[in-house]
Amino acid sequence: MAKVIAGVGTSHVPAIGAAVDHNKTQDAYWKPIFDGMEPAKQWIKEAKPDVCIIVYNDHASAFSLDTIPTFAIGVADEFQPADEGYGPRKVPVVKGHSELAWHITESLILDEFDMTIVNNMPVDHGLTVPLSVMYGQPEAWPCQVIPVCVNVIQYPQPTANRCYQLGKAIRKAVESFPKDLKVAVLGTGGLSHQLQGERAGLINSEYDEKWLDDLVAKPEELKHVTHTEYLRETGSEGIEAIMWFVMRGALDQDVELIHRFTRAPASNSNYGLLVLENKKD
Ligand code: DHB
Ligand code: FE
């Protein structure tokens, strides 16, 4: 049977992708951030998930304001890196797992999560930067990927609780797939950042640190935090962090903290990275 082995949370700051692509990871600005990722890279080298379900938001690359799915799942065999204005990142094509993706889609929809099914979509920094964070610059990505998109761009966004419940339903779906596969769930985005308006540049490290404590130890309480609180405390783009709840919902209540790292600023964000495993029996 397939199994969810772990969850990873990581910001998907596009400048991190640019630092990798332009060999700047050892520059003074970036080195502490890339050093902080190293334990997660070592961990995934050993854990070797066959499939990563990457929960991210599309930043007007595959979808525009014409069509805004609340939750979407990519079922294709492959996904091309998106052109976000500077040409596509020169990273490997993202290989899907169509069979598992369709199985998860069926299970989710029968569980009353009305997913939008996507056969064709370019994947932007929201998805490719987390792959670079975890795997660096390989010839081919070492895992297959199932993209899950959440609308955090346009009001009204789903609640953190709904994201958490989606994570639980994804775990149930994965663990009813008859083939032996190791699956990791990655929640991306955040932490506090605001890219526009009067408070552009806002970072609230104190709030983020407590939020990370609670996401690990008491997600059932944290999931009730409102959109208004995210907006006020973590900025207009800080709400991306609700996507980490999909990852957290896919894990047990009690988890083992493998790695936690934060650093501010990384571009305009408080960079956060979390690796969690279910406790072994
Ligand atoms: C930044 C972070 C994001 O999540 C994003 O989508 C774009 C920019 C930033 O920190 O600059
Ligand atoms: Fe983003």
Side-chain angles (χ1 to χ4, degrees):
M1 300 295 271
K3 198 165 170 42
V4 173
I5 57 160
V8 174
T10 172
S11 314
H12 58 221
V13 176
I16 289 176
V20 172
D21 299 346
H22 299 105
N23 298 316
K24 292 186 185 300
T25 61
Q26 297 309 299
D27 287 9
Y29 181 89
W30 290 110
K31 189 175 186 315
I33 297 167
F34 283 89
D35 285 353
M37 295 169 188
E38 210 45 51
K41 284 195 171 75
Q42 288 307 321
W43 168 83
I44 209 160
K45 229 182 244 172
E46 281 168 35
K48 287 196 187 70
D50 302 296
V51 180
C52 287
I53 297 174
I54 305 188
V55 184
Y56 76 108
N57 63 293
D58 175 75
H59 302 73
S61 302
F63 310 115
S64 68
L65 292 181
D66 288 347
T67 306
I68 306 166
T70 300
F71 294 121
I73 181 164
V75 295
D77 287 326
E78 58 179 51
F79 304 91
Q80 297 294 331
D83 182 348
E84 298 182 61
Y86 302 93
R89 290 188 65 203
K90 291 187 178 54
V91 292
V93 169
V94 174
K95 297 287 184 187
H97 195 305
S98 188
E99 190 186 356
L100 178 58
W102 275 109
H103 171 85
I104 293 172
T105 301
E106 179 184 26
S107 180
L108 290 178
I109 290 176
L110 295 180
D111 255 344
E112 302 177 356
F113 283 88
D114 305 319
M115 306 299 289
T116 296
I117 300 167
V118 190
N119 285 303
N120 184 10
M121 68 175 167
V123 287
D124 69 16
H125 69 270
L127 184 137
T128 62
V129 167
L131 285 170
S132 301
V133 165
M134 297 308 288
Y135 293 114
Q137 286 176 295
E139 288 287 311
W141 297 119
C143 63
Q144 286 166 287
V145 172
I146 298 178
V148 171
C149 298
V150 179
N151 167 40
V152 292
I153 295 278
Q154 169 68 54
Y155 182 86
Q157 296 93 342
T159 62
N161 179 48
R162 190 67 176 153
C163 291
Y164 188 69
Q165 302 305 336
L166 177 63
K168 285 186 181 297
I170 287 176
R171 179 178 189 176
K172 179 178 157 197
V174 167
E175 299 192 345
S176 63
F177 187 69
K179 295 187 179 163
D180 282 336
L181 288 174
K182 290 191 285 183
V183 177
V185 182
L186 277 67
T188 81
L191 298 174
S192 55
H193 64 300
Q194 171 146 344
L195 302 175
Q196 59 211 312
E198 275 178 29
R199 299 199 304 163
L202 176 144
I203 282 180
N204 187 348
S205 294
E206 199 181 326
Y207 185 92
D208 290 336
E209 293 300 333
K210 173 79 168 60
W211 184 88
L212 285 168
D213 292 345
D214 291 349
L215 186 74
V216 175
K218 34 185 168 172
E220 295 277 350
E221 283 177 42
L222 190 67
K223 72 183 185 176
H224 296 298
V225 168
T226 61
H227 290 156
T228 314
E229 181 170 325
Y230 281 106
L231 189 63
R232 186 178 62 238
E233 299 296 334
T234 74
S236 52
E237 277 70 36
I239 194 168
E240 286 184 345
I242 65 170
M243 295 184 289
W244 292 39
F245 276 94
V246 182
M247 170 277 281
R248 188 65 187 84
L251 301 177
D252 289 342
Q253 196 64 31
D254 261 0
V255 285
E256 192 171 337
L257 176 61
I258 306 292
H259 183 55
R260 170 175 168 165
F261 173 72
T262 49
R263 169 99 179 174
S267 187
N268 301 291
S269 298
N270 183 14
Y271 177 77
L273 177 60
L274 205 56
V275 180
L276 303 175
E277 276 183 356
N278 286 328
K279 286 193 171 151
K280 308 213 165 55
D281 312 318

